[in-house]
Amino acid sequence: MQYFISHYNKESELKFPDDLIIYDTTLRDGEQTPGVCFSFDEKIEIARKLDQFKIHQIEAGFPIVSEKEKETVKAIASEGLNADIIALTRTKPGDIDVALECDVDGIITFVGTSDIHLDHKMHITRQDAINLCETAVDYAKDHGLYVAFSAEDATRTDIDFLKRIYSKAEECGADRVHIADTTGAITPEGIRYLVSELVKDLNVMLALHCHNDFGLAVINSITGVLAGARGISTTVNGLGERAGNASLEELVMALKILYGKDYGFKTKYIKELSDIVSKASGLEVPYNKPVVGNNVFRHESGIHVDAVIEEPLCYEPYVPELVGQKRQLVLGKHSGCRAVRAKLNECELDVTDDELIEIVRQVKKSREEGKYINDQVFKEIVKNTKK
Ligand code: MN
């Protein structure tokens, strides 16, 4: 058995689309994390690993930003990956020209649609925004691109206006429209309402770009898909502006394990992907980060360790191998004889029963005196006890 979840989950009653698209934006929104700037080589390495993971689409960057960004996006597009490579553009034909020079498969072209964005960022009217959408989608479709039109700050936009601008995008041949929850300001119930309303009027595929300001990016994405959306934007390690985006690893594992919806991603590469992105971004993954954190498959409490030695699923919802992680038993003040015996076996050390009891005592004592019991400290304790 590789996983064991609550039998109260009623996945059979939920309707997930078979053709869900995950478009990962680690290389674009992830790179917009303050302080993060990937090198050319790092971006290529991340793109290759995402492709190995079998991600559907990679948002490789925002090519108008700089000459180097443009070169990098072009290089990723020429890697021959199975994933579609898409670039971000504003609704300016000039931006789209630069994306075309990168030979990408498609673009995400965006404009702010909420009144607060129209008034205080763009300084334009709603009609102006519709015109920008029309010009950009028309232009990009004329040049043979896959086109996603994204309404920035969609979750704080008047719904009638949203319907109008998405309908315009659809009329111009957009392949997809995006709801960007730019400030992470919606609840799962809000997303369910918004998506259900929009799918009544639209035929074009709807996708979600959720931010994690309240820790709801993953559940908002899942709820949106259950309400009729068919695309989700993610980042590795949940990287992204402010509190980041929907985390790729959390989303994929929740779908696969909790909801029983396996989209064929190679989840065994998850830990590797997380490590590469952590190193390249310079941002360490918190120890308790779901799926990829160092503590997620690490057990210390004696009662837990005893149970885990006999049956790991006593204290794990799924086994670490599914995501390329390893189970670790850590010795500490809560450790008992079984945990210490397991550690001795792991270190290929043999002791008598009396020695074992003394080693357990010394392990607890050392930990309480402030020492972290790594293998070296443990071997030292064993050596001293056997004297
Ligand atoms: Mn964003």
Side-chain angles (χ1 to χ4, degrees):
M1 205 158 58
Q2 290 197 300
Y3 63 91
F4 183 40
I5 54 166
S6 172
H7 56 284
Y8 298 111
N9 302 330
K10 293 189 174 172
E11 73 215 32
S12 58
E13 291 175 12
L14 302 172
K15 295 227 176 333
F16 281 97
D18 290 326
D19 56 354
L20 180 76
I21 290 183
I22 296 192
Y23 60 106
D24 186 87
T25 185
T26 306
L27 297 178
R28 199 278 301 166
D29 208 321
E31 202 186 23
Q32 282 173 223
T33 307
V36 173
C37 180
F38 298 130
S39 70
F40 178 91
D41 290 344
E42 286 165 345
K43 278 204 165 192
I44 300 278
E45 188 186 11
I46 294 167
R48 284 182 185 154
K49 193 52 75 178
L50 281 167
D51 194 56
Q52 246 184 340
F53 173 79
K54 295 217 175 298
I55 198 79
H56 304 120
Q57 294 183 341
I58 297 171
E59 189 180 344
F62 195 179
I64 196 74
V65 163
S66 73
E67 198 54 40
K68 188 157 178 246
E69 176 81 347
K70 179 180 158 186
E71 270 171 41
T72 312
V73 172
K74 192 174 166 70
I76 294 169
S78 68
E79 276 281 301
L81 304 178
N82 285 314
D84 289 334
I85 307 303
I86 50 182
L88 187 71
T89 77
R90 291 171 298 183
T91 45
K92 298 184 177 194
D95 281 26
I96 298 167
D97 285 335
V98 176
L100 284 163
E101 287 166 29
C102 296
D103 298 319
V104 290
D105 300 299
I107 59 162
I108 297 171
T109 187
F110 74 99
V111 67
T113 51
S114 61
D115 289 338
I116 196 170
H117 274 233
L118 293 174
D119 294 346
H120 298 286
K121 188 182 77 166
M122 314 284 290
H123 307 289
I124 58 172
T125 65
R126 286 181 174 181
Q127 188 55 51
D128 293 334
I130 289 183
N131 296 343
L132 287 172
C133 164
E134 180 173 13
T135 306
V137 176
D138 267 345
Y139 189 80
K141 285 314 297 180
D142 282 349
H143 288 80
L145 290 165
Y146 179 96
V147 180
F149 168 73
S150 181
E152 192 185 16
D153 208 19
T155 55
R156 299 191 302 184
T157 299
D158 172 63
I159 195 161
D160 292 325
F161 176 55
L162 258 190
K163 285 182 180 178
R164 271 176 64 208
I165 200 161
Y166 287 147
S167 297
K168 177 58 78 180
E170 180 176 325
E171 188 189 307
C172 298
D175 298 280
R176 191 163 88 200
V177 294
H178 291 182
I179 297 174
D181 183 26
T182 303
T183 61
I186 201 163
T187 61
E189 292 71 29
I191 274 282
R192 183 183 297 127
Y193 168 77
L194 182 58
V195 172
S196 320
E197 281 301 307
L198 291 171
V199 294
K200 283 184 201 163
D201 286 28
L202 298 168
N203 294 309
V204 65
M205 174 181 179
L206 201 62
L208 302 153
H209 174 81
C210 295
H211 274 270
N212 203 34
D213 295 71
F214 290 88
L216 298 177
V218 168
I219 191 58
N220 280 344
S221 303
I222 292 172
T223 307
V225 163
L226 289 171
R230 278 157 53 216
I232 299 178
S233 160
T234 60
T235 57
V236 176
N237 296 341
L239 219 58
E241 295 187 284
R242 302 184 315 281
N245 292 80
S247 141
L248 173 67
E249 56 280 0
E250 292 175 26
L251 177 86
V252 165
M253 292 313 287
L255 289 176
K256 180 179 162 113
I257 304 294
L258 286 180
Y259 290 93
K261 196 67 197 174
D262 190 341
Y263 285 100
F265 298 109
K266 299 287 174 201
T267 61
K268 64 179 177 184
Y269 294 122
I270 283 178
K271 180 62 175 164
E272 229 180 304
L273 197 48
S274 167
D275 287 345
I276 291 169
V277 170
S278 170
K279 189 154 173 277
S281 64
L283 294 174
E284 264 183 56
V285 173
Y287 271 44
N288 60 348
K289 167 84 169 64
V291 185
V292 291
N294 280 334
N295 276 358
V296 176
F297 298 97
R298 185 181 270 175
H299 310 275
E300 181 190 309
S301 152
I303 297 165
H304 288 211
V305 169
D306 286 359
V308 164
I309 290 168
E310 192 171 320
E311 172 48 87
L313 295 179
C314 283
Y315 283 103
E316 291 171 357
Y318 59 89
V319 298
E321 291 74 22
L322 286 181
V323 293
Q325 283 252 55
K326 281 201 181 85
R327 182 174 305 113
Q328 296 169 64
L329 304 180
V330 177
L331 297 176
K333 66 180 278 194
H334 303 103
S335 298
C337 285
R338 282 181 81 182
V340 171
R341 181 63 85 185
K343 193 74 190 171
L344 286 163
N345 291 341
E346 194 186 302
C347 299
E348 294 180 342
L349 295 166
D350 197 26
V351 302
T352 65
D353 287 350
D354 286 347
E355 285 167 345
L356 177 65
I357 289 161
E358 180 55 18
I359 292 167
V360 172
R361 215 174 64 78
Q362 291 303 327
V363 162
K364 289 175 191 277
K365 189 162 163 265
S366 295
R367 186 66 196 96
E368 282 175 333
E369 283 167 359
K371 261 192 200 161
Y372 184 74
I373 316 292
N374 59 24
D375 283 8
Q376 201 194 330
V377 170
F378 179 67
K379 283 175 185 168
E380 196 68 23
I381 290 171
V382 175
K383 205 173 111 196
N384 292 336
T385 309
K386 282 176 76 88
K387 264 180 199 165

